[in-house]
PDB file of all heavy atoms in Angstrom:
ATOM      1  N   SER B  79      22.197 -15.462   1.185  1.00 96.00           N
ATOM      2  CA  SER B  79      21.984 -14.018   1.159  1.00 96.00           C
ATOM      3  C   SER B  79      21.132 -13.530  -0.009  1.00 96.00           C
ATOM      4  O   SER B  79      20.512 -12.477   0.083  1.00 96.00           O
ATOM      5  CB  SER B  79      23.331 -13.297   1.120  1.00 96.00           C
ATOM      6  OG  SER B  79      24.106 -13.614   2.248  1.00 96.00           O
ATOM      7  N   PHE B  80      21.149 -14.227  -1.120  1.00 97.00           N
ATOM      8  CA  PHE B  80      20.524 -13.715  -2.327  1.00 97.00           C
ATOM      9  C   PHE B  80      19.360 -14.582  -2.798  1.00 97.00           C
ATOM     10  O   PHE B  80      19.399 -15.811  -2.695  1.00 97.00           O
ATOM     11  CB  PHE B  80      21.554 -13.630  -3.467  1.00 97.00           C
ATOM     12  CG  PHE B  80      22.496 -12.477  -3.351  1.00 97.00           C
ATOM     13  CD1 PHE B  80      23.658 -12.608  -2.602  1.00 97.00           C
ATOM     14  CD2 PHE B  80      22.220 -11.273  -3.974  1.00 97.00           C
ATOM     15  CE1 PHE B  80      24.531 -11.540  -2.474  1.00 97.00           C
ATOM     16  CE2 PHE B  80      23.093 -10.212  -3.854  1.00 97.00           C
ATOM     17  CZ  PHE B  80      24.253 -10.338  -3.106  1.00 97.00           C
ATOM     18  N   CYS B  81      18.363 -13.894  -3.371  1.00 97.00           N
ATOM     19  CA  CYS B  81      17.245 -14.595  -3.987  1.00 97.00           C
ATOM     20  C   CYS B  81      16.786 -13.761  -5.174  1.00 97.00           C
ATOM     21  O   CYS B  81      16.728 -12.526  -5.093  1.00 97.00           O
ATOM     22  CB  CYS B  81      16.103 -14.776  -2.989  1.00 97.00           C
ATOM     23  SG  CYS B  81      14.849 -15.947  -3.522  1.00 97.00           S
ATOM     24  N   PHE B  82      16.498 -14.436  -6.294  1.00 97.00           N
ATOM     25  CA  PHE B  82      16.114 -13.743  -7.510  1.00 97.00           C
ATOM     26  C   PHE B  82      14.711 -14.165  -7.934  1.00 97.00           C
ATOM     27  O   PHE B  82      14.305 -15.314  -7.745  1.00 97.00           O
ATOM     28  CB  PHE B  82      17.103 -14.052  -8.642  1.00 97.00           C
ATOM     29  CG  PHE B  82      18.510 -13.640  -8.346  1.00 97.00           C
ATOM     30  CD1 PHE B  82      19.435 -14.577  -7.888  1.00 97.00           C
ATOM     31  CD2 PHE B  82      18.914 -12.327  -8.503  1.00 97.00           C
ATOM     32  CE1 PHE B  82      20.740 -14.204  -7.607  1.00 97.00           C
ATOM     33  CE2 PHE B  82      20.212 -11.941  -8.223  1.00 97.00           C
ATOM     34  CZ  PHE B  82      21.132 -12.879  -7.771  1.00 97.00           C
ATOM     35  N   LEU B  83      14.004 -13.214  -8.518  1.00 97.00           N
ATOM     36  CA  LEU B  83      12.701 -13.482  -9.131  1.00 97.00           C
ATOM     37  C   LEU B  83      12.865 -13.286 -10.632  1.00 97.00           C
ATOM     38  O   LEU B  83      13.252 -12.200 -11.078  1.00 97.00           O
ATOM     39  CB  LEU B  83      11.649 -12.526  -8.575  1.00 97.00           C
ATOM     40  CG  LEU B  83      10.300 -12.500  -9.277  1.00 97.00           C
ATOM     41  CD1 LEU B  83       9.617 -13.851  -9.212  1.00 97.00           C
ATOM     42  CD2 LEU B  83       9.391 -11.427  -8.663  1.00 97.00           C
ATOM     43  N   ASP B  84      12.612 -14.339 -11.390  1.00 97.00           N
ATOM     44  CA  ASP B  84      12.698 -14.284 -12.846  1.00 97.00           C
ATOM     45  C   ASP B  84      11.294 -14.331 -13.432  1.00 97.00           C
ATOM     46  O   ASP B  84      10.525 -15.234 -13.120  1.00 97.00           O
ATOM     47  CB  ASP B  84      13.507 -15.474 -13.385  1.00 97.00           C
ATOM     48  CG  ASP B  84      14.919 -15.519 -12.858  1.00 97.00           C
ATOM     49  OD1 ASP B  84      15.610 -14.490 -12.949  1.00 97.00           O
ATOM     50  OD2 ASP B  84      15.340 -16.588 -12.358  1.00 97.00           O
ATOM     51  N   ILE B  85      11.004 -13.367 -14.269  1.00 97.00           N
ATOM     52  CA  ILE B  85       9.740 -13.386 -15.011  1.00 97.00           C
ATOM     53  C   ILE B  85      10.102 -13.648 -16.465  1.00 97.00           C
ATOM     54  O   ILE B  85      10.741 -12.813 -17.119  1.00 97.00           O
ATOM     55  CB  ILE B  85       8.958 -12.074 -14.855  1.00 97.00           C
ATOM     56  CG1 ILE B  85       8.810 -11.720 -13.372  1.00 97.00           C
ATOM     57  CG2 ILE B  85       7.580 -12.207 -15.500  1.00 97.00           C
ATOM     58  CD1 ILE B  85       8.130 -10.387 -13.108  1.00 97.00           C
ATOM     59  N   ARG B  86       9.726 -14.807 -16.950  1.00 96.00           N
ATOM     60  CA  ARG B  86      10.251 -15.272 -18.239  1.00 96.00           C
ATOM     61  C   ARG B  86       9.683 -14.494 -19.414  1.00 96.00           C
ATOM     62  O   ARG B  86      10.397 -14.196 -20.372  1.00 96.00           O
ATOM     63  CB  ARG B  86       9.961 -16.755 -18.411  1.00 96.00           C
ATOM     64  CG  ARG B  86      10.721 -17.616 -17.405  1.00 96.00           C
ATOM     65  CD  ARG B  86      10.660 -19.076 -17.736  1.00 96.00           C
ATOM     66  NE  ARG B  86       9.300 -19.594 -17.693  1.00 96.00           N
ATOM     67  CZ  ARG B  86       8.989 -20.869 -17.800  1.00 96.00           C
ATOM     68  NH1 ARG B  86       9.928 -21.771 -17.987  1.00 96.00           N
ATOM     69  NH2 ARG B  86       7.731 -21.263 -17.747  1.00 96.00           N
ATOM     70  N   SER B  87       8.426 -14.187 -19.385  1.00 96.00           N
ATOM     71  CA  SER B  87       7.785 -13.464 -20.482  1.00 96.00           C
ATOM     72  C   SER B  87       6.729 -12.536 -19.883  1.00 96.00           C
ATOM     73  O   SER B  87       5.551 -12.886 -19.807  1.00 96.00           O
ATOM     74  CB  SER B  87       7.138 -14.451 -21.456  1.00 96.00           C
ATOM     75  OG  SER B  87       6.535 -13.769 -22.544  1.00 96.00           O
ATOM     76  N   PRO B  88       7.180 -11.371 -19.429  1.00 96.00           N
ATOM     77  CA  PRO B  88       6.253 -10.481 -18.721  1.00 96.00           C
ATOM     78  C   PRO B  88       5.089 -10.038 -19.591  1.00 96.00           C
ATOM     79  O   PRO B  88       5.266  -9.664 -20.761  1.00 96.00           O
ATOM     80  CB  PRO B  88       7.135  -9.285 -18.340  1.00 96.00           C
ATOM     81  CG  PRO B  88       8.532  -9.767 -18.437  1.00 96.00           C
ATOM     82  CD  PRO B  88       8.540 -10.821 -19.483  1.00 96.00           C
ATOM     83  N   GLY B  89       3.911 -10.095 -19.010  1.00 96.00           N
ATOM     84  CA  GLY B  89       2.736  -9.540 -19.660  1.00 96.00           C
ATOM     85  C   GLY B  89       2.319  -8.259 -18.967  1.00 96.00           C
ATOM     86  O   GLY B  89       2.842  -7.908 -17.906  1.00 96.00           O
ATOM     87  N   LEU B  90       1.385  -7.537 -19.582  1.00 95.00           N
ATOM     88  CA  LEU B  90       0.936  -6.279 -19.002  1.00 95.00           C
ATOM     89  C   LEU B  90       0.358  -6.495 -17.608  1.00 95.00           C
ATOM     90  O   LEU B  90       0.482  -5.637 -16.733  1.00 95.00           O
ATOM     91  CB  LEU B  90      -0.106  -5.625 -19.916  1.00 95.00           C
ATOM     92  CG  LEU B  90       0.377  -5.251 -21.314  1.00 95.00           C
ATOM     93  CD1 LEU B  90      -0.761  -4.655 -22.122  1.00 95.00           C
ATOM     94  CD2 LEU B  90       1.561  -4.297 -21.253  1.00 95.00           C
ATOM     95  N   GLY B  91      -0.230  -7.645 -17.385  1.00 95.00           N
ATOM     96  CA  GLY B  91      -0.813  -7.958 -16.082  1.00 95.00           C
ATOM     97  C   GLY B  91       0.193  -8.241 -14.997  1.00 95.00           C
ATOM     98  O   GLY B  91      -0.179  -8.376 -13.828  1.00 95.00           O
ATOM     99  N   ASP B  92       1.461  -8.324 -15.350  1.00 97.00           N
ATOM    100  CA  ASP B  92       2.511  -8.576 -14.360  1.00 97.00           C
ATOM    101  C   ASP B  92       3.087  -7.288 -13.781  1.00 97.00           C
ATOM    102  O   ASP B  92       3.950  -7.333 -12.889  1.00 97.00           O
ATOM    103  CB  ASP B  92       3.642  -9.405 -14.979  1.00 97.00           C
ATOM    104  CG  ASP B  92       3.160 -10.780 -15.415  1.00 97.00           C
ATOM    105  OD1 ASP B  92       2.254 -11.324 -14.749  1.00 97.00           O
ATOM    106  OD2 ASP B  92       3.689 -11.299 -16.417  1.00 97.00           O
ATOM    107  N   ALA B  93       2.635  -6.161 -14.292  1.00 97.00           N
ATOM    108  CA  ALA B  93       3.067  -4.884 -13.729  1.00 97.00           C
ATOM    109  C   ALA B  93       2.562  -4.788 -12.292  1.00 97.00           C
ATOM    110  O   ALA B  93       1.364  -4.922 -12.031  1.00 97.00           O
ATOM    111  CB  ALA B  93       2.519  -3.735 -14.552  1.00 97.00           C
ATOM    112  N   ALA B  94       3.480  -4.589 -11.376  1.00 96.00           N
ATOM    113  CA  ALA B  94       3.131  -4.615  -9.947  1.00 96.00           C
ATOM    114  C   ALA B  94       4.341  -4.205  -9.130  1.00 96.00           C
ATOM    115  O   ALA B  94       5.428  -3.995  -9.660  1.00 96.00           O
ATOM    116  CB  ALA B  94       2.682  -6.022  -9.525  1.00 96.00           C
ATOM    117  N   MET B  95       4.131  -4.120  -7.821  1.00 96.00           N
ATOM    118  CA  MET B  95       5.238  -3.998  -6.874  1.00 96.00           C
ATOM    119  C   MET B  95       5.604  -5.410  -6.438  1.00 96.00           C
ATOM    120  O   MET B  95       4.718  -6.208  -6.095  1.00 96.00           O
ATOM    121  CB  MET B  95       4.817  -3.159  -5.662  1.00 96.00           C
ATOM    122  CG  MET B  95       5.857  -3.077  -4.578  1.00 96.00           C
ATOM    123  SD  MET B  95       7.259  -2.057  -5.062  1.00 96.00           S
ATOM    124  CE  MET B  95       6.563  -0.436  -4.741  1.00 96.00           C
TER     125      MET B  95
END
Side-chain angles (χ1 to χ4, degrees):
Chain B
S79 300
F80 284 87
C81 193
F82 300 99
L83 170 61
D84 300 309
I85 308 176
R86 294 191 297 188
S87 181
L90 298 178
D92 297 327
M95 175 71 80

